[in-house]
Amino acid sequence: MKTVRIRKNIKNYLHDKPRNSVEIRDHINSTMRHGTTSQQLGNILSKDKDTFKLGKIIRSGMLSGDYEISEWGTSNWLIENQDPEDLCNIIYQPLSGSPITYILSSSNVQKLERCKLEKEQRIKKEERKTLEELIV
């Protein structure tokens, strides 16, 4: 049950822009009573069908040197920012600065296409349900 709450919290946090693992962990730990560990967060993010690893950024630490941190986004955000001409490209325009282009692997493009189909099927199902309620 705990991971379900963490997943919902993560999806709400990622709905408007991608974020890295440290930002997500800090958000979870500041908004939830018991928080999460980096290892648990990594497992949740990598196994969730609606979150995608977009890439890695390099962080510098005074003691530990340079290390990589993964950036994550949700399927809804990716669908909204997907380049219609090249489905592998996700273009993000931050409020300040130049656009950032994320390049998805072919397996992530296929995963995203499955998410699109599931979303369309969910919408059609809800529309049918609404029509049936109106008829009755």
Side-chain angles (χ1 to χ4, degrees), residues 113-127:
E113 290 300 314
R114 283 193 301 272
C115 287
K116 281 183 191 178
L117 286 173
E118 288 174 10
K119 186 177 179 181
E120 289 171 5
Q121 289 172 350
R122 232 180 295 126
I123 290 170
K124 287 179 182 179
K125 187 176 181 179
E126 289 172 7
E127 288 174 351

